[in-house]
Amino acid sequence: MASNPTALPTATAVGAPTVALASAAVVPASASAALDELLQGNRRYATGRARRGRPAAPRPFAVVLGCVDAEAAPELVFDQGLGDLLCIRTAGQVLDEAVLGSLQYGVQELRVPLVVVLGHEGCGAVAATLDRLRTGAPVPGHLELLAAEIAPAALRTRAEPGDWAEHTMRAQTVWARDAIRADPGFAGASVVAARFDAGSGLVSLLP
């Protein structure tokens, strides 16, 4: 993919409800315990005893490209039910052909009018990329793709005063938005970039 030449944005505040992010009471300690928890959860779902009900129909009104970090789960951040959002999540909102195809499926096949690229403070993929740039250490395996895609945003903002990780996250989020906007496969959809702050629970749009 082409590297991103977008300038660093600044945030414009937009109100959103504060969200309490809760984790599971007991975290499975092994792969077999984790699989057992998943299968037990599926049995609850299949027998109508799920903690959350099934969506009535897959009719999302927005597509959200978000990060894989747990605190940035779009259904929680935007307080929406199952099926209300079509969520695609990659570390650092990195784009590839599969991600673009999934986004386009929502816009063209499901007729979803809005795409939101959602970055967040404290992004782990951004932090790992900055560590690589500081130390020059190699990145193992498939993680190299993530670092390679985030690095242009980091290098463009390195000289900016303040928090390098924050600048990088915002620049990466806006670049992904602009790349989607420029793609003819998303013609007719509104594409916006936003930042989630886990401390306040608020989402801000990025210009």
Side-chain angles (χ1 to χ4, degrees):
M1 291 184 57
S3 296
N4 42 20
T6 307
L8 177 70
T10 55
T12 301
V14 169
T18 300
V19 179
L21 302 177
S23 59
V26 178
V27 177
S30 67
S32 61
L35 179 59
D36 185 58
E37 173 61 27
L38 289 178
L39 294 176
Q40 287 184 40
N42 174 251
R43 285 191 285 273
R44 292 193 302 271
Y45 175 82
T47 57
R49 295 182 289 112
R51 294 166 186 160
R52 300 186 68 171
R54 301 187 188 192
R59 299 231 177 235
F61 63 84
V63 178
V64 182
L65 172 60
C67 185
V68 297
D69 287 349
E71 66 268 26
E75 294 91 343
L76 294 177
V77 169
F78 294 111
D79 191 28
Q80 298 300 318
L82 295 174
D84 292 336
L85 306 176
L86 177 61
C87 299
I88 297 98
R89 299 175 67 182
T90 65
Q93 301 82 247
V94 164
L95 295 176
D96 63 17
E97 288 301 314
V99 172
L100 288 168
S102 299
L103 294 168
Q104 188 173 355
Y105 171 77
V107 169
Q108 291 198 350
E109 299 299 321
L110 300 181
R111 301 290 187 261
V112 179
L114 174 66
V115 177
V116 180
V117 183
L118 183 66
H120 69 103
E121 51 86 23
C123 178
V126 167
T129 300
L130 299 190
D131 285 344
R132 175 212 181 203
L133 292 175
R134 289 186 184 105
T135 65
V139 181
H142 301 294
L143 297 178
E144 175 62 28
L145 170 66
L146 301 179
E149 289 298 319
I150 297 171
L155 293 173
R156 282 200 315 279
T157 59
R158 193 168 199 164
E160 296 285 339
D163 188 336
W164 189 21
E166 174 71 12
H167 296 330
T168 299
M169 178 275 295
R170 293 188 182 202
Q172 170 67 14
T173 303
V174 167
W175 173 80
R177 178 203 64 193
D178 291 346
I180 296 167
R181 278 182 178 174
D183 191 316
F186 301 94
S190 177
V191 186
V192 301
R195 174 194 185 275
F196 171 62
D197 183 272
S200 68
L202 294 176
V203 168
S204 301
L205 293 181
L206 299 175

